Amino acid sequence: PVTPGELLCLGSSLALSGLFYYLYRKKARVVARIQEAPKLQVDDDLPALVSAAEGRCLPYVALEGIVLPAKALLTSHYHEGLQGVIQKLLLKEHRLIWNSLARSW
């Protein structure tokens, strides 16, 4: 005979496994789209290509080319000779909404 506690454990285990599999498949699709992204060169044709795209946005692309820093190069503390730049820093501030049930923002 199967006890109700065993059925509860089996059900919750199946539910969690299903949830984690769904999240895994969702992330795997995103990774596949990124790996299949077209490779574009940073040149004079790039602004025209972006403005011709739908919504003036290219969802996933890999840009190749030489980038010049605005101020100074970033150097790695862990790998000698490795340098990089920050092209754009995006700060997104989310609106806080009061949750009266949890009594928090």
mmCIF file of all heavy atoms in Angstrom, residues 8-33:
data_model
loop_
_atom_site.group_PDB
_atom_site.id
_atom_site.type_symbol
_atom_site.label_atom_id
_atom_site.label_comp_id
_atom_site.label_asym_id
_atom_site.label_seq_id
_atom_site.Cartn_x
_atom_site.Cartn_y
_atom_site.Cartn_z
ATOM 1 N N LEU A 8 2.385 12.368 -1.892
ATOM 2 C CA LEU A 8 2.710 13.794 -1.862
ATOM 3 C C LEU A 8 4.149 14.029 -2.304
ATOM 4 O O LEU A 8 4.432 14.932 -3.096
ATOM 5 C CB LEU A 8 2.476 14.355 -0.464
ATOM 6 C CG LEU A 8 2.785 15.833 -0.270
ATOM 7 C CD1 LEU A 8 1.824 16.676 -1.089
ATOM 8 C CD2 LEU A 8 2.709 16.196 1.189
ATOM 9 N N CYS A 9 5.063 13.200 -1.805
ATOM 10 C CA CYS A 9 6.472 13.335 -2.202
ATOM 11 C C CYS A 9 6.655 13.048 -3.687
ATOM 12 O O CYS A 9 7.394 13.753 -4.381
ATOM 13 C CB CYS A 9 7.343 12.391 -1.378
ATOM 14 S SG CYS A 9 7.514 12.891 0.341
ATOM 15 N N LEU A 10 5.978 12.025 -4.194
ATOM 16 C CA LEU A 10 6.085 11.690 -5.613
ATOM 17 C C LEU A 10 5.524 12.810 -6.476
ATOM 18 O O LEU A 10 6.135 13.217 -7.465
ATOM 19 C CB LEU A 10 5.353 10.376 -5.905
ATOM 20 C CG LEU A 10 5.336 9.946 -7.366
ATOM 21 C CD1 LEU A 10 6.748 9.625 -7.835
ATOM 22 C CD2 LEU A 10 4.406 8.771 -7.568
ATOM 23 N N GLY A 11 4.382 13.355 -6.081
ATOM 24 C CA GLY A 11 3.769 14.441 -6.846
ATOM 25 C C GLY A 11 4.619 15.697 -6.857
ATOM 26 O O GLY A 11 4.798 16.335 -7.902
ATOM 27 N N SER A 12 5.145 16.059 -5.697
ATOM 28 C CA SER A 12 5.984 17.264 -5.647
ATOM 29 C C SER A 12 7.286 17.046 -6.415
ATOM 30 O O SER A 12 7.794 17.965 -7.064
ATOM 31 C CB SER A 12 6.266 17.669 -4.202
ATOM 32 O OG SER A 12 6.976 16.644 -3.541
ATOM 33 N N SER A 13 7.830 15.845 -6.368
ATOM 34 C CA SER A 13 9.047 15.552 -7.120
ATOM 35 C C SER A 13 8.797 15.651 -8.623
ATOM 36 O O SER A 13 9.606 16.222 -9.356
ATOM 37 C CB SER A 13 9.547 14.154 -6.767
ATOM 38 O OG SER A 13 10.658 13.812 -7.561
ATOM 39 N N LEU A 14 7.669 15.116 -9.082
ATOM 40 C CA LEU A 14 7.329 15.214 -10.506
ATOM 41 C C LEU A 14 7.079 16.660 -10.918
ATOM 42 O O LEU A 14 7.491 17.085 -11.998
ATOM 43 C CB LEU A 14 6.109 14.350 -10.817
ATOM 44 C CG LEU A 14 6.340 12.844 -10.811
ATOM 45 C CD1 LEU A 14 5.028 12.111 -10.998
ATOM 46 C CD2 LEU A 14 7.335 12.461 -11.888
ATOM 47 N N ALA A 15 6.411 17.422 -10.054
ATOM 48 C CA ALA A 15 6.141 18.831 -10.375
ATOM 49 C C ALA A 15 7.439 19.632 -10.468
ATOM 50 O O ALA A 15 7.623 20.424 -11.401
ATOM 51 C CB ALA A 15 5.216 19.429 -9.319
ATOM 52 N N LEU A 16 8.338 19.430 -9.530
ATOM 53 C CA LEU A 16 9.613 20.152 -9.582
ATOM 54 C C LEU A 16 10.453 19.719 -10.777
ATOM 55 O O LEU A 16 11.099 20.549 -11.424
ATOM 56 C CB LEU A 16 10.390 19.949 -8.285
ATOM 57 C CG LEU A 16 9.884 20.735 -7.081
ATOM 58 C CD1 LEU A 16 10.647 20.353 -5.830
ATOM 59 C CD2 LEU A 16 9.983 22.225 -7.333
ATOM 60 N N SER A 17 10.443 18.420 -11.073
ATOM 61 C CA SER A 17 11.189 17.947 -12.246
ATOM 62 C C SER A 17 10.635 18.555 -13.518
ATOM 63 O O SER A 17 11.393 18.965 -14.402
ATOM 64 C CB SER A 17 11.125 16.421 -12.325
ATOM 65 O OG SER A 17 11.781 15.837 -11.236
ATOM 66 N N GLY A 18 9.317 18.623 -13.623
ATOM 67 C CA GLY A 18 8.703 19.247 -14.793
ATOM 68 C C GLY A 18 9.044 20.719 -14.907
ATOM 69 O O GLY A 18 9.323 21.228 -15.996
ATOM 70 N N LEU A 19 9.033 21.426 -13.789
ATOM 71 C CA LEU A 19 9.374 22.854 -13.791
ATOM 72 C C LEU A 19 10.817 23.070 -14.216
ATOM 73 O O LEU A 19 11.101 23.925 -15.066
ATOM 74 C CB LEU A 19 9.139 23.445 -12.406
ATOM 75 C CG LEU A 19 9.603 24.895 -12.215
ATOM 76 C CD1 LEU A 19 8.734 25.834 -13.026
ATOM 77 C CD2 LEU A 19 9.608 25.264 -10.754
ATOM 78 N N PHE A 20 11.730 22.298 -13.640
ATOM 79 C CA PHE A 20 13.139 22.467 -13.996
ATOM 80 C C PHE A 20 13.408 22.073 -15.451
ATOM 81 O O PHE A 20 14.231 22.689 -16.127
ATOM 82 C CB PHE A 20 14.039 21.676 -13.057
ATOM 83 C CG PHE A 20 14.097 22.259 -11.674
ATOM 84 C CD1 PHE A 20 14.003 21.442 -10.565
ATOM 85 C CD2 PHE A 20 14.209 23.620 -11.473
ATOM 86 C CE1 PHE A 20 14.046 21.971 -9.287
ATOM 87 C CE2 PHE A 20 14.255 24.164 -10.207
ATOM 88 C CZ PHE A 20 14.169 23.337 -9.111
ATOM 89 N N TYR A 21 12.720 21.066 -15.964
ATOM 90 C CA TYR A 21 12.887 20.688 -17.372
ATOM 91 C C TYR A 21 12.374 21.795 -18.285
ATOM 92 O O TYR A 21 12.991 22.109 -19.290
ATOM 93 C CB TYR A 21 12.171 19.374 -17.675
ATOM 94 C CG TYR A 21 12.364 18.923 -19.090
ATOM 95 C CD1 TYR A 21 13.601 18.432 -19.515
ATOM 96 C CD2 TYR A 21 11.339 19.005 -20.016
ATOM 97 C CE1 TYR A 21 13.790 18.034 -20.824
ATOM 98 C CE2 TYR A 21 11.523 18.606 -21.320
ATOM 99 C CZ TYR A 21 12.748 18.122 -21.718
ATOM 100 O OH TYR A 21 12.933 17.737 -23.014
ATOM 101 N N TYR A 22 11.237 22.410 -17.920
ATOM 102 C CA TYR A 22 10.710 23.519 -18.701
ATOM 103 C C TYR A 22 11.698 24.682 -18.729
ATOM 104 O O TYR A 22 11.957 25.263 -19.788
ATOM 105 C CB TYR A 22 9.378 23.979 -18.108
ATOM 106 C CG TYR A 22 8.900 25.296 -18.649
ATOM 107 C CD1 TYR A 22 8.364 25.390 -19.927
ATOM 108 C CD2 TYR A 22 9.002 26.458 -17.893
ATOM 109 C CE1 TYR A 22 7.941 26.607 -20.433
ATOM 110 C CE2 TYR A 22 8.577 27.669 -18.379
ATOM 111 C CZ TYR A 22 8.045 27.733 -19.651
ATOM 112 O OH TYR A 22 7.640 28.944 -20.146
ATOM 113 N N LEU A 23 12.256 25.039 -17.580
ATOM 114 C CA LEU A 23 13.229 26.133 -17.529
ATOM 115 C C LEU A 23 14.483 25.792 -18.310
ATOM 116 O O LEU A 23 15.055 26.644 -18.996
ATOM 117 C CB LEU A 23 13.582 26.450 -16.070
ATOM 118 C CG LEU A 23 12.452 27.046 -15.231
ATOM 119 C CD1 LEU A 23 12.878 27.166 -13.784
ATOM 120 C CD2 LEU A 23 12.008 28.375 -15.786
ATOM 121 N N TYR A 24 14.920 24.526 -18.237
ATOM 122 C CA TYR A 24 16.090 24.089 -19.002
ATOM 123 C C TYR A 24 15.841 24.223 -20.502
ATOM 124 O O TYR A 24 16.686 24.739 -21.226
ATOM 125 C CB TYR A 24 16.431 22.641 -18.646
ATOM 126 C CG TYR A 24 17.382 21.992 -19.613
ATOM 127 C CD1 TYR A 24 18.734 22.307 -19.605
ATOM 128 C CD2 TYR A 24 16.922 21.094 -20.569
ATOM 129 C CE1 TYR A 24 19.600 21.727 -20.508
ATOM 130 C CE2 TYR A 24 17.782 20.508 -21.475
ATOM 131 C CZ TYR A 24 19.115 20.832 -21.439
ATOM 132 O OH TYR A 24 19.966 20.278 -22.339
ATOM 133 N N ARG A 25 14.699 23.780 -20.979
ATOM 134 C CA ARG A 25 14.399 23.855 -22.415
ATOM 135 C C ARG A 25 14.294 25.309 -22.870
ATOM 136 O O ARG A 25 14.720 25.651 -23.969
ATOM 137 C CB ARG A 25 13.104 23.113 -22.727
ATOM 138 C CG ARG A 25 13.160 21.626 -22.513
ATOM 139 C CD ARG A 25 14.201 20.940 -23.373
ATOM 140 N NE ARG A 25 13.989 21.215 -24.774
ATOM 141 C CZ ARG A 25 14.931 21.153 -25.702
ATOM 142 N NH1 ARG A 25 16.142 20.794 -25.383
ATOM 143 N NH2 ARG A 25 14.659 21.431 -26.945
ATOM 144 N N LYS A 26 13.728 26.167 -22.034
ATOM 145 C CA LYS A 26 13.596 27.586 -22.376
ATOM 146 C C LYS A 26 14.973 28.227 -22.530
ATOM 147 O O LYS A 26 15.228 28.948 -23.502
ATOM 148 C CB LYS A 26 12.785 28.285 -21.285
ATOM 149 C CG LYS A 26 12.437 29.701 -21.579
ATOM 150 C CD LYS A 26 11.556 30.254 -20.477
ATOM 151 C CE LYS A 26 11.249 31.708 -20.704
ATOM 152 N NZ LYS A 26 10.437 32.280 -19.636
ATOM 153 N N LYS A 27 15.869 27.954 -21.607
ATOM 154 C CA LYS A 27 17.215 28.511 -21.684
ATOM 155 C C LYS A 27 18.008 27.882 -22.831
ATOM 156 O O LYS A 27 18.828 28.551 -23.459
ATOM 157 C CB LYS A 27 17.968 28.312 -20.365
ATOM 158 C CG LYS A 27 17.352 29.045 -19.213
ATOM 159 C CD LYS A 27 17.329 30.532 -19.448
ATOM 160 C CE LYS A 27 16.670 31.242 -18.291
ATOM 161 N NZ LYS A 27 16.513 32.666 -18.518
ATOM 162 N N ALA A 28 17.759 26.613 -23.124
ATOM 163 C CA ALA A 28 18.457 25.960 -24.232
ATOM 164 C C ALA A 28 18.061 26.593 -25.560
ATOM 165 O O ALA A 28 18.902 26.733 -26.461
ATOM 166 C CB ALA A 28 18.150 24.462 -24.244
ATOM 167 N N ARG A 29 16.795 26.988 -25.708
ATOM 168 C CA ARG A 29 16.368 27.671 -26.936
ATOM 169 C C ARG A 29 17.055 29.020 -27.080
ATOM 170 O O ARG A 29 17.470 29.419 -28.175
ATOM 171 C CB ARG A 29 14.856 27.831 -26.946
ATOM 172 C CG ARG A 29 14.112 26.569 -27.296
ATOM 173 C CD ARG A 29 12.641 26.840 -27.569
ATOM 174 N NE ARG A 29 11.943 27.349 -26.400
ATOM 175 C CZ ARG A 29 11.286 26.617 -25.528
ATOM 176 N NH1 ARG A 29 11.241 25.312 -25.669
ATOM 177 N NH2 ARG A 29 10.667 27.172 -24.503
ATOM 178 N N VAL A 30 17.208 29.753 -25.964
ATOM 179 C CA VAL A 30 17.891 31.057 -26.010
ATOM 180 C C VAL A 30 19.355 30.869 -26.393
ATOM 181 O O VAL A 30 19.884 31.603 -27.225
ATOM 182 C CB VAL A 30 17.752 31.779 -24.650
ATOM 183 C CG1 VAL A 30 18.631 33.008 -24.603
ATOM 184 C CG2 VAL A 30 16.314 32.140 -24.386
ATOM 185 N N VAL A 31 20.010 29.879 -25.825
ATOM 186 C CA VAL A 31 21.418 29.609 -26.150
ATOM 187 C C VAL A 31 21.558 29.235 -27.616
ATOM 188 O O VAL A 31 22.489 29.674 -28.295
ATOM 189 C CB VAL A 31 21.981 28.505 -25.228
ATOM 190 C CG1 VAL A 31 23.326 28.014 -25.714
ATOM 191 C CG2 VAL A 31 22.089 29.020 -23.811
ATOM 192 N N ALA A 32 20.627 28.445 -28.144
ATOM 193 C CA ALA A 32 20.685 28.059 -29.560
ATOM 194 C C ALA A 32 20.524 29.281 -30.454
ATOM 195 O O ALA A 32 21.218 29.402 -31.476
ATOM 196 C CB ALA A 32 19.605 27.028 -29.865
ATOM 197 N N ARG A 33 19.630 30.201 -30.077
ATOM 198 C CA ARG A 33 19.461 31.431 -30.874
ATOM 199 C C ARG A 33 20.722 32.291 -30.840
ATOM 200 O O ARG A 33 21.098 32.899 -31.839
ATOM 201 C CB ARG A 33 18.275 32.236 -30.364
ATOM 202 C CG ARG A 33 16.943 31.645 -30.762
ATOM 203 C CD ARG A 33 15.794 32.500 -30.329
ATOM 204 N NE ARG A 33 15.868 33.825 -30.948
ATOM 205 C CZ ARG A 33 15.167 34.865 -30.523
ATOM 206 N NH1 ARG A 33 14.374 34.758 -29.489
ATOM 207 N NH2 ARG A 33 15.279 36.024 -31.125
#
